[in-house]
Amino acid sequence: MAEHRNGNAKIPIGKASGATNPYSINLENFSKRLKMLYSHWNEHNSDLWGASDALAIATPPTSEDLRYLKSSALNIWLFGYEFPETIMVFMKKQIHFLCSQKKASLLDVVKMSAKEAVGAEVVLHVKPKNDDGAGLMDRIFQAVNAQLNSKGHDAPVIGHIAREAPEGKLLETWAEKLKNANLELSDITNGFSNLFAVKDNVELTNVKKAAFLTSSVMRSFVVPKLEKIIDEEKKVSHASLMDDTEKAILEPARIKVKLKAENVDICYPPIFQSGGDFDLKPSASSNDENLYYDSNSVIICAIGSRYNSYCSNVARTFLIDANASQSKAYEVILKAQEAAISALKSGSKASAAYLAALSVVEKDAPELAASMTKTAGTGIGLEFRESGLSLNAKNDRILKPGMVFNVSLGFHNLQAETNNPKTQKFSVLLADTVIVGEEVPEIVTISSSKAVKDVAYSFNEDDEEEDEGPKIKTEAKGSIATLAKATLRSDNQEMSKEELRRQHQAELALQKNEETARRLAGGGSVATDNRGAGRTIGDLIAYKNVNDLPPVRDLMIQIDQKNEAILLPIYGSMVPFHVATLKSVSSQQDSNRNCYIRIIFNVPGTPFSPHDANSVKFQGSIYLKEVSFRSKDPRHISEAVQLIKTLRRQVASRESERAERATLVTQEKLQVSGAKFKPIRLSDLWIRPPFGGRGRKLTGSLEAHTNGFRYSTSRPDERVDVMYRNIKHAFFQPAEKEMITVLHFHLHNHIMVGNKKTKDVQFYVEVMDVVQTLGGSRRSAYDPDEIEEEQRERDRKNKINMDFQNFVNRVHDLWGQPQFKALDLEFDQPLRELGFHGVPHKASTFIVPTSSCLVELIETPFVVITLNEIEIVNLERVGLGQKNFDMTIVFKDFKRDVFRIDSIPSTSLDGIKEWLDTTDLKYYESRLNLNWRPILKTITDDPEKFIEDGGWEFLNMDISDSDSENSESDQGYEPSDVQSESISDEEDDSSESLVESDDDEEEVSEEDSEEEKGKTWEELEREATNADREKGDDSDSEEERSRRKMKAFGKARAPEKRSHGGSLPKRAKLR
């Protein structure tokens, strides 16, 4: 369990100093809570704080074990983080901290707030690394004695947490000095318990988020998993269920809960119990026995999660074919728990909850009272069990609004009337997280149902009778044993899932058509289309005046690279031309060894000439179209051609980059972090797209500054700034089956990376070196060198993934600051279990959904599709016998081309449909590929007609199939099946068809298969000839016969003569 600990509240020691300080303390919360501490201390000093003059709290070192300490709770409550190996001493006029330099730099900001809040001076004692801190402790004791002796006290009273044993050298030294000093010690545990009991709004929000996660895991993960195990009769151990559930808690995105994983942790390892071995204590654990779910069995599941260190808890009992005693016990405990929750009212005593539950049990089932748990639960918050808030019969504590309780009730080791030793003893347990309100309590885990109908299952199998599926019990309504949630091990379950999906899709269809109608009515689909916009070049000026011309050496072609000009000798003078006016240059040599150079210029009005503003400006000018020169010096001609071509490339590249930059949106400047706090940094990264240039590629570093990221290499010109406000989506994809770990940013507006304009910037590290084994011999799987090499690769991959994860966590904390809240920035992580293979461009890739996108981040070009920009999804070529199908994504902007993902394996179809349905995306299925450009053009040209004809329902395959029985074609948006009377008409129609035709080879193979079933061409020819003779049409031309045969075969192609090879020749396609 240790490797899964998520220390979300701990300061990452060793990284806090010199950072952009995402771990800054919330000074408003600190001031408010410090006032509460001092006010509570002054008000209840005699009864709860042991009449203490000073409070000494020592926080132990970090531990991978799950534990709840008052000292850690105080750290988190006061500062928002845990400060391990830190000693705090609170006095009336001073607050002393003994800690390391890095923690002191973080605590330095509270000095002013403490002075303003309670008038106390903060004194920081920085402990050197290898020092035991004894000298600094003496200074603290001197300060305590000096302050308290001034009041005339003989022996100062120091309050400390007596139950926390010292851990580590620092705390052991402190405990020894505290014991030997001339001080009186008193326990202040009750004071902190009372202080933490009532939660403020921030704390209650954290509790509610934790409770939402806990109940969601129970409802969306645990219950379906148990149902599947029982339905498929799998053998799964309690420990395995515990591990899977823990992973679901630590990765909220798996169950569609939008909470940051770094803020989440478990309260305790999830508990699964069955098979007669039950323990209802919170310290219980899941054993290695398999889950037992035969008739009359009981399964208990308890899970708890934390959000920002605040706890929540839920426990449920599931009954499998329950008998009368089991059903009664569950009904009674359910009623007792509801009574206990109702008794949690402001002003009541804590004991009222337990007494209310006991009253219900003694009234409805007095024989069960002795087996009931001795408490109805405990307070819950920063600690899973808050001392002093136990809901037992003796606690007279008055309840207040804002208190939070884990209301937990159960019956332990009851006897069932069965002969099976695994079911003779059973227990039941229910637990919920409840907030005491002003009037009525609030159950924050209520979304996890505990009604009998939702936890009682029945699967009666009659082996001696016919092979029928198990039936749900349907006896009298009042009988508890007949209330069952579902019939397990039944084929109807899969059918019901498909039916539910269809119903949901029908609802989505209505919503989608209404939404599309509103958007089309408001012109929402109109988007700017910049395709075809011409690139303009600035004024082409080689020389501003004649004096700038270079001196003439000889009447030879000269290339002036500085001024980007070519000087040509024309009629005894050197005439300059800007290199951008050249269209092409070439050279050739004749048989007499004469060399010719031919230069062709860009002239307005000629085909394929680029659009240029200068041609519009000088419309009446005379242009030189072409010029040729002859020379006896082939070396000079070759050199001139090479220099001209090189210069043209450079100018064209520069102008292209300038044109790209002209379309960029102006962004804010990067605010580089100051010298005091170093930026969050990730080193040795590659970038995609890469920088241009022919030099060796270099790795660089990614730094998170005040308002954006900066990536730079050792070369001064290789630098990219990505502003936080320009980030549309951020992704973190750790290397699992891939060779790289990736940070990917999909942007709102384009930026330039080198000379490339892009909306996607990716930073990555290769986690594995590509090594080729020389010699070609295969190594043994037991070769120690091979094993060691594999271990090194695993360690390297884990280290890189961890470095990236730490960087992402720190950036998340930075983005959590108030100035970035409106940007809603968060690193999304692909959900590999929902991924599928497909061909979005040219190569097959693994495409993975995230919570907000569909992405492919490994192969270029990248795929990033925002889900809320999708109108509908059409699954094409879906049918029996198909190994693959295609997915077409239609966007809400109808001016945007659809996005196709081809060749998706049919085994992924159900998973994709389930994912689309759960993300509320409407999908359709078709047996053919559609040609979407004319479809979208038809919609945008006449949106009213599109809405009148039922919107997107023309894609509904079920409706289309039923309509096809009455009419051969759909007049709206399906391809026309009307047969043309000539070959040319048929081909023209097919080019405009909304269905993309398959290759002719497939058509030929289909016809061949039809020939096997029907008559051959020779037989049909003979029949036609005989028919013509009977009608006296023997004189008909061959052309007339061909046309009649084509009509006779309806939609089939006109038969063509066989080639000598025996196969039908292909028909030429007209496009």
Side-chain angles (χ1 to χ4, degrees):
M1 299 304 297
E3 64 269 27
H4 298 303
R5 295 280 54 73
N6 189 348
N8 54 293
K10 295 181 180 67
I11 294 294
I13 302 306
K15 298 183 181 179
S17 175
T20 338
N21 208 359
Y23 301 98
S24 56
I25 294 169
N26 186 325
L27 295 179
E28 183 183 350
N29 267 353
F30 171 78
S31 298
K32 182 178 72 173
R33 292 178 181 175
L34 189 64
K35 280 183 185 177
M36 289 174 59
L37 170 61
Y38 273 74
S39 173
H40 198 276
W41 181 16
N42 292 328
E43 185 178 349
H44 303 282
N45 195 5
S46 58
D47 55 334
L48 295 175
W49 296 94
S52 55
D53 298 306
L55 310 179
I57 293 90
T59 310
T62 56
S63 171
E64 292 297 340
D65 296 331
L66 276 170
R67 58 182 185 177
Y68 298 95
L69 303 174
K70 281 283 187 295
S71 55
S72 299
L74 175 64
N75 282 192
I76 296 166
W77 181 78
L78 197 55
F79 304 109
Y81 304 100
E82 181 180 347
F83 287 80
E85 292 191 283
T86 300
I87 296 169
M88 299 183 290
V89 178
F90 295 89
M91 297 185 291
K92 301 298 182 182
K93 297 297 180 184
Q94 285 184 333
I95 303 174
H96 291 263
F97 292 95
L98 173 57
C99 57
S100 66
Q101 173 63 57
K102 297 183 178 180
K103 294 175 197 140
S105 64
L106 193 59
L107 290 168
D108 190 61
V109 297
V110 305
K111 288 183 176 180
M112 186 69 70
S113 300
K115 193 74 173 174
E116 293 173 354
V118 296
E121 177 191 359
V122 172
V123 182
L124 297 174
H125 302 273
V126 178
K127 183 183 80 67
K129 191 169 185 180
N130 296 319
D131 187 24
D132 63 355
L136 297 173
M137 294 174 191
D138 291 336
R139 291 186 197 173
I140 295 176
F141 287 130
Q142 290 171 9
V144 171
N145 288 320
Q147 182 169 321
L148 299 180
N149 287 339
S150 64
K151 297 182 180 181
H153 290 194
D154 294 333
V157 179
I158 303 296
H160 73 128
I161 303 171
R163 298 179 186 177
E164 293 186 10
E167 297 179 27
K169 186 176 179 182
L170 178 69
L171 268 64
E172 288 173 356
T173 305
W174 171 256
E176 188 67 26
K177 282 190 170 289
L178 199 63
K179 182 180 178 182
N180 296 331
N182 185 25
L183 301 170
E184 184 181 338
L185 300 179
S186 66
D187 188 13
I188 54 174
T189 303
N190 291 337
F192 282 122
S193 297
N194 197 283
L195 178 65
F196 297 151
V198 178
K199 277 72 176 174
D200 59 26
N201 289 333
V202 174
E203 294 177 287
L204 291 178
T205 300
N206 287 330
V207 169
K208 288 178 181 179
K209 288 183 177 180
F212 176 72
L213 174 61
T214 306
S215 53
S216 298
V217 171
M218 180 67 79
R219 183 185 68 251
S220 303
F221 180 81
V222 173
V223 172
K225 190 167 187 69
L226 290 176
E227 289 179 353
K228 186 176 181 181
I229 291 170
I230 299 171
D231 189 25
E232 298 177 2
E233 300 186 9
K234 291 183 176 179
K235 292 185 178 180
V236 180
S237 69
H238 298 132
S240 176
L241 283 168
M242 174 192 71
D243 291 338
D244 291 344
T245 306
E246 182 174 337
K247 289 176 184 176
I249 295 173
L250 297 178
E251 299 174 23
R254 292 177 61 182
I255 53 169
K256 308 294 187 296
V257 173
K258 294 184 178 180
L259 293 177
K260 294 180 181 179
E262 63 267 24
N263 294 336
V264 168
D265 198 0
I266 59 171
C267 290
Y268 54 87
I271 300 170
F272 288 86
Q273 301 178 91
S274 65
D277 186 9
F278 297 99
D279 183 358
L280 303 189
K281 296 177 183 177
S283 57
S285 60
S286 303
N287 58 30
D288 292 327
E289 296 293 324
N290 286 336
L291 187 73
Y292 190 80
Y293 45 81
D294 274 5
S295 186
N296 303 133
S297 60
V298 172
I299 300 171
I300 291 179
C301 173
I303 55 176
S305 67
R306 291 193 289 173
Y307 182 81
N308 283 342
S309 298
Y310 283 83
C311 301
S312 67
N313 186 53
V314 68
R316 295 291 181 260
T317 300
F318 301 97
L319 309 175
I320 311 299
D321 250 344
N323 59 26
S325 60
Q326 292 170 333
S327 299
K328 182 180 180 181
Y330 185 84
E331 186 186 42
V332 171
I333 204 65
L334 177 61
K335 191 174 178 182
Q337 194 213 22
E338 289 172 348
I341 292 172
S342 300
L344 294 175
K345 296 178 181 178
S346 177
S348 301
K349 293 182 179 180
S351 57
Y354 181 80
L355 295 175
L358 184 62
S359 173
V360 169
V361 175
E362 288 177 341
K363 178 182 176 183
D364 293 355
E367 70 279 6
L368 302 179
S371 301
M372 194 174 87
T373 51
K374 302 307 177 187
T375 69
T378 60
I380 192 171
L382 287 168
E383 299 174 276
F384 184 70
R385 286 178 287 176
E386 293 186 335
S387 55
L389 290 177
S390 179
L391 299 177
N392 56 33
K394 299 178 181 178
N395 193 346
D396 293 334
R397 181 80 173 272
I398 301 299
L399 303 179
K400 298 178 182 178
M403 289 183 171
V404 184
F405 290 92
N406 167 33
V407 182
S408 176
L409 274 169
F411 293 129
H412 187 49
N413 280 349
L414 300 179
Q415 293 293 325
E417 299 169 359
T418 65
N419 297 323
N420 189 340
K422 290 268 189 181
T423 58
Q424 282 179 350
K425 286 186 177 182
F426 72 95
S427 299
V428 292
L429 177 68
L430 289 176
D432 282 285
T433 306
V434 181
I435 299 174
V436 178
E438 294 285 351
E439 297 179 358
V440 293
E442 179 184 0
I443 308 172
V444 288
T445 51
I446 196 169
S447 61
S448 175
S449 178
K450 54 191 173 185
V452 179
K453 65 182 180 64
D454 292 324
V455 300
Y457 295 85
S458 171
F459 52 99
N460 297 331
E461 295 184 82
D462 295 327
D463 296 332
E464 300 175 0
E465 307 210 356
E466 324 177 326
D467 256 350
E468 294 183 358
K471 302 175 181 179
I472 301 177
K473 296 181 181 179
T474 53
E475 295 177 12
K477 188 175 180 181
S479 173
I480 301 297
T482 63
L483 294 172
K485 177 184 177 184
T487 301
L488 299 178
R489 283 182 268 172
S490 166
D491 293 337
N492 293 333
Q493 191 178 15
E494 290 301 320
M495 292 172 58
S496 65
K497 280 186 180 179
E498 180 65 27
E499 190 60 36
L500 287 172
R501 200 158 60 201
R502 288 190 178 187
Q503 290 175 6
H504 186 220
Q505 285 293 308
E507 295 169 5
L508 287 177
L510 294 174
Q511 295 174 12
K512 183 58 63 179
N513 284 332
E514 291 173 4
E515 177 192 327
T516 307
R518 285 195 302 271
R519 197 170 66 252
L520 291 176
S525 67
V526 179
T528 56
D529 189 1
N530 293 324
R531 291 176 296 179
R535 177 176 61 86
T536 60
I537 302 176
D539 291 338
L540 302 178
I541 300 174
Y543 304 100
K544 292 184 178 180
N545 56 60
V546 179
N547 296 328
D548 293 338
L549 287 170
V552 179
R553 298 191 301 271
D554 296 308
L555 290 177
M556 298 174 64
I557 297 175
Q558 296 182 27
I559 292 90
D560 185 357
Q561 296 192 6
K562 179 181 178 182
N563 294 295
E564 299 174 351
I566 302 165
L567 290 92
L568 303 178
I570 300 178
Y571 295 118
S573 300
M574 299 301 290
V575 182
F577 295 87
H578 195 281
V579 73
T581 61
L582 272 65
K583 184 177 182 180
S584 66
V585 58
S586 60
S587 64
Q588 62 181 17
Q589 190 173 353
D590 62 12
S591 57
N592 296 326
R593 302 184 65 82
N594 291 323
C595 288
Y596 294 90
I597 182 170
R598 183 186 184 195
I599 300 173
I600 300 175
F601 296 89
N602 289 315
V603 178
T606 58
F608 308 111
S609 63
H611 177 70
D612 187 6
N614 295 283
S615 63
V616 179
K617 185 185 291 186
F618 306 110
Q619 288 184 358
S621 302
I622 298 173
Y623 290 86
L624 180 64
K625 183 176 181 181
E626 180 182 331
V627 63
S628 297
F629 295 91
R630 186 180 63 186
S631 173
K632 291 287 187 179
D633 187 358
R635 185 187 58 80
H636 173 67
I637 291 294
S638 175
E639 184 180 340
V641 169
Q642 188 64 35
L643 287 173
I644 291 171
K645 287 184 175 179
T646 303
L647 187 58
R648 280 187 70 245
R649 272 198 306 269
Q650 292 173 354
V651 172
S653 174
R654 189 195 66 216
E655 290 296 333
S656 174
E657 183 178 343
R658 182 184 297 170
E660 293 287 1
R661 289 185 183 277
T663 61
L664 296 177
V665 176
T666 305
Q667 298 190 53
E668 59 186 316
K669 276 193 172 184
L670 182 74
Q671 298 176 18
V672 180
S673 300
K676 187 175 180 182
F677 298 113
K678 291 181 182 178
I680 307 169
R681 185 184 180 96
L682 196 59
S683 303
D684 298 326
L685 303 179
W686 300 96
I687 186 174
R688 289 198 287 187
F691 293 109
R694 299 185 179 181
R696 188 172 66 89
K697 300 294 186 291
L698 300 176
T699 59
S701 298
L702 182 67
E703 298 175 342
H705 291 275
T706 306
N707 65 335
F709 295 102
R710 168 164 287 177
Y711 175 83
S712 58
T713 69
S714 57
R715 296 192 181 113
D717 59 331
E718 293 186 347
R719 177 182 292 175
V720 175
D721 292 341
V722 180
M723 299 297 108
Y724 297 149
R725 294 186 184 279
N726 193 29
I727 296 175
K728 186 176 182 181
H729 300 293
F731 303 100
F732 164 50
Q733 181 166 320
E736 291 186 18
K737 297 182 180 179
E738 300 83 12
M739 300 287 288
I740 60 175
T741 297
V742 166
L743 288 181
H744 188 99
F745 299 104
H746 183 67
L747 309 178
H748 290 287
N749 302 307
H750 291 85
I751 63 170
M752 296 297 292
V753 177
N755 58 0
K756 301 180 187 70
K757 181 179 174 183
T758 182
K759 263 191 177 182
D760 287 279
V761 185
Q762 184 178 107
F763 308 98
Y764 68 96
V765 170
E766 295 177 352
V767 298
M768 233 174 277
D769 296 326
V770 179
V771 179
Q772 183 176 4
T773 304
L774 299 177
S777 60
R778 294 186 63 184
R779 301 169 78 173
S780 169
Y782 303 101
D783 185 350
D785 292 338
E786 183 80 9
I787 295 171
E788 185 179 351
E789 185 178 325
E790 289 177 0
Q791 184 59 43
R792 280 199 304 270
E793 288 178 350
R794 278 195 295 270
D795 293 343
R796 171 179 164 82
K797 181 171 74 172
N798 293 337
K799 182 182 182 302
I800 290 173
N801 286 344
M802 186 57 66
D803 290 343
F804 271 70
Q805 183 68 63
N806 291 337
F807 179 84
V808 167
N809 291 344
R810 296 180 68 189
V811 172
H812 265 164
D813 291 337
L814 178 63
W815 285 348
Q817 295 180 4
Q819 63 266 35
F820 301 122
K821 288 289 186 184
L823 302 181
D824 193 24
L825 292 174
E826 184 179 1
F827 276 99
D828 211 349
Q829 197 161 329
L831 306 171
R832 292 190 59 89
E833 60 271 17
L834 300 178
F836 56 90
H837 289 277
V839 183
H841 298 290
K842 292 183 179 179
S844 178
T845 58
F846 189 63
I847 302 161
V848 193
T850 71
S851 59
S852 60
C853 295
L854 183 66
V855 301
E856 190 284 304
L857 306 176
I858 304 300
E859 302 293 335
T860 55
F862 305 119
V863 176
V864 179
I865 299 172
T866 307
L867 298 185
N868 59 18
E869 293 178 0
I870 296 176
E871 175 77 2
I872 60 158
V873 175
N874 194 43
L875 306 175
E876 303 178 349
R877 292 196 303 117
V878 175
L880 295 174
Q882 294 281 3
K883 292 183 179 179
N884 301 299
F885 68 96
D886 307 326
M887 176 192 290
T888 300
I889 297 172
V890 182
F891 297 98
K892 293 178 180 177
D893 177 9
F894 292 156
K895 296 291 184 183
R896 183 175 171 185
D897 285 338
V898 300
F899 188 86
R900 290 179 59 88
I901 302 174
D902 297 326
S903 301
I904 304 171
S906 295
T907 52
S908 302
L909 181 60
D910 285 338
I912 289 175
K913 290 200 290 189
E914 184 66 27
W915 166 67
L916 291 170
D917 192 60
T918 54
T919 50
D920 289 340
L921 285 174
K922 174 60 185 167
Y923 67 84
Y924 292 93
E925 300 177 49
S926 62
R927 295 188 180 92
L928 299 171
N929 289 119
L930 302 184
N931 191 359
W932 281 95
R933 283 193 177 180
I935 293 177
L936 297 179
K937 186 176 184 301
T938 308
I939 294 173
T940 52
D941 288 347
D942 192 356
E944 291 83 4
K945 182 72 163 58
F946 170 71
I947 300 303
E948 288 174 7
D949 290 345
W952 293 109
E953 284 306 290
F954 74 89
L955 293 169
N956 194 326
M957 199 157 58
D958 296 336
I959 296 177
S960 301
D961 290 345
S962 61
D963 289 347
S964 65
E965 296 176 3
N966 302 322
S967 61
E968 285 196 3
S969 67
D970 185 351
Q971 296 294 326
Y973 296 93
E974 290 216 328
S976 173
D977 286 335
V978 177
Q979 176 63 37
S980 60
E981 294 189 1
S982 69
I983 297 174
S984 61
D985 290 346
E986 177 187 309
E987 291 173 349
D988 290 341
D989 288 346
S990 68
S991 67
E992 291 298 322
S993 171
L994 304 186
V995 175
E996 294 178 353
S997 57
D998 295 322
D999 292 339
D1000 287 320
E1001 294 175 359
E1002 295 180 9
E1003 295 177 6
V1004 171
S1005 64
E1006 289 173 6
E1007 291 181 6
D1008 289 342
S1009 65
E1010 288 295 322
E1011 286 180 354
E1012 292 174 7
K1013 299 177 184 177
K1015 299 177 181 180
T1016 64
W1017 289 111
E1018 286 77 11
E1019 292 172 345
L1020 294 169
E1021 181 77 33
R1022 283 197 298 272
E1023 288 181 6
T1025 304
N1026 294 335
D1028 291 341
R1029 286 174 181 168
E1030 291 174 4
K1031 294 179 180 179
D1033 293 333
D1034 291 348
S1035 61
D1036 284 352
S1037 65
E1038 189 71 18
E1039 183 180 351
E1040 290 293 321
R1041 292 180 188 175
S1042 297
R1043 187 159 61 246
R1044 276 202 302 273
K1045 276 189 284 185
M1046 185 187 71
K1047 289 182 180 180
F1049 290 114
K1051 297 178 186 178
R1053 293 185 305 172
E1056 296 177 2
K1057 293 181 180 180
R1058 288 183 181 272
S1059 62
H1060 294 293
S1063 62
L1064 288 175
K1066 291 185 181 179
R1067 180 188 63 179
K1069 279 190 177 181
L1070 295 178
R1071 292 296 184 197

